[in-house]
Structures are given as C-alpha cells and as structure tokens.
Amino acid sequence: MPRAGLTTDRLVSAAVELADEVGFERVTLSALARRFGVKDASLYAHVGGLGELRARMALRAGGELIDRIAAAVAGRAGKDALTAFAGAYRAYAREHPGRYAATQTRVDPALAAGSPAMRRTTGITYGMLRAYGLAEPDLTDAVRLLRSTFHGYCALEAAGGFHDPRSVEASWDTAVEALHVALVNWPTGS
C-alpha cells in the first residue's frame, strides 16, 4: 500500500525543491526517499523510476517558467514582449537553477503532448514571434535561436563564465536588442 501522505504531486514538489538545493543531476530516488523518511521502494507506487520523476520535474518547472513568462509578456508585443520574455526567462534560471536545469531535459513526446504547460509554452512563444510577422518554418527557427541564446547566456552566467569588466547586464541588454533586430529583419524563404 502507498504510504499515507505520499503522492506523485508531493514527490515532484519535493524533487524540484531538492534540485534547487543540490542541483538537478543530484536528485535521486534515494535522496528523495530520505527526505520523506521512507525506503526507495515506497516511491515506485507514485513514479515509475528516476526517468519518470525527472520528466515530471521538467514539466513542473516548464509550467512555472511559462507562467512567469506569460505574466511578463501580457499586453505587450514586439520588442517590449521580447524583452519581458527574456527577462522572465533569465530571472527564473537565476532564482531556480535546479528547476531550470530540469527544463532542459528531453521529455517523451507523448508525455509532453499531454502537458498543458507544453501547449501553453508553444502558444505564448509562437504568439510573441508572430508579432514579428513570422510563419513556419521561420517560427521554429526563431524559437531555436531564442532558446539557444537565452540558455547559452544563462548557462555561462551561472558557471561564472563572464570575466570581462563590461557589465553582464549591459551585455544581456545588447543580446536581447540583437535578437530583436534579427527578428525584425528575419531572412525569409530559407
């Protein structure tokens, strides 16, 4: 019988908190079981293993991230929306490093397809980019450019990779401005 009080939702909540404390890669079923004072086997009544737990963590963190982004971009378009989107993305990565790392995990497409957070992420991101007049396949390319830029910057910043005396904030602002210019002048027909 499942231990009283233990649910999938509680496990995922504890796992994302643990990820922020110790890092996403260090979240294990054993560490989570210790947090609840139970044996590892008790968790299998709620998650099918570490892979499923990490997928659920990715979906939870992705939902939190897109909620922040949605609030930031509400009522904005063009450069204002891009700047708000970028700022919310970076703030989440800085405030929740373990959860943010979870968002970079590949999730089984079938599980992702059933996730309201994933559908919302697509809708908000593509909606923001449509204001730049983009349509497929350019939308997909633009999403990949934004994600690569934002993730790369956040990963380098978290690792202490910026040593130049120039302000990291000024460089971030310049990067977002450069993305805006790229989106306005998008090379269509590729």
Side-chain angles (χ1 to χ4, degrees):
M1 264 185 98
R3 186 171 176 101
L6 221 56
T7 65
T8 302
D9 188 56
R10 282 193 66 209
L11 290 176
V12 174
S13 294
V16 295
E17 288 173 13
L18 184 60
D20 281 342
E21 293 168 18
V22 301
F24 176 69
E25 291 301 321
R26 296 185 67 196
V27 174
T28 63
L29 291 176
S30 293
L32 197 55
R34 280 191 301 275
R35 187 163 268 213
F36 283 98
V38 299
K39 295 193 181 297
D40 296 12
S42 300
L43 304 185
Y44 287 95
H46 308 285
V47 292
L50 185 59
E52 181 185 330
L53 176 66
R54 287 189 170 170
R56 289 179 181 278
M57 290 170 69
L59 293 173
R60 169 76 60 86
E64 291 173 355
L65 176 58
I66 199 56
D67 286 347
R68 275 228 194 153
I69 289 170
V73 302
R76 300 173 189 257
K79 184 179 177 184
D80 288 340
L82 176 63
T83 300
F85 187 110
Y89 185 104
R90 183 173 174 223
Y92 187 83
R94 292 167 95 183
E95 293 166 22
H96 298 289
R99 294 173 203 227
Y100 174 71
T103 68
Q104 303 307 308
T105 301
R106 187 175 183 334
V107 176
D108 177 347
L111 185 58
S115 166
M118 294 298 284
R119 286 191 301 276
R120 191 164 185 233
T121 298
T122 301
I124 289 169
T125 306
Y126 278 50
M128 178 193 66
L129 291 171
R130 281 192 191 95
Y132 284 98
L134 300 178
E136 286 297 353
D138 297 324
L139 278 170
T140 296
D141 293 340
V143 166
R144 290 175 177 169
L145 173 64
L146 294 181
R147 184 175 182 205
S148 298
T149 303
F150 297 158
H151 175 66
Y153 200 96
C154 291
L156 287 167
E157 183 176 29
F162 298 125
H163 300 291
D164 191 272
R166 175 154 167 79
S167 161
V168 174
E169 297 302 319
S171 294
W172 173 259
D173 293 343
T174 300
V176 174
E177 177 68 29
L179 288 171
H180 169 69
V181 170
L183 292 169
V184 166
N185 297 291
W186 196 261
T188 58
S190 303

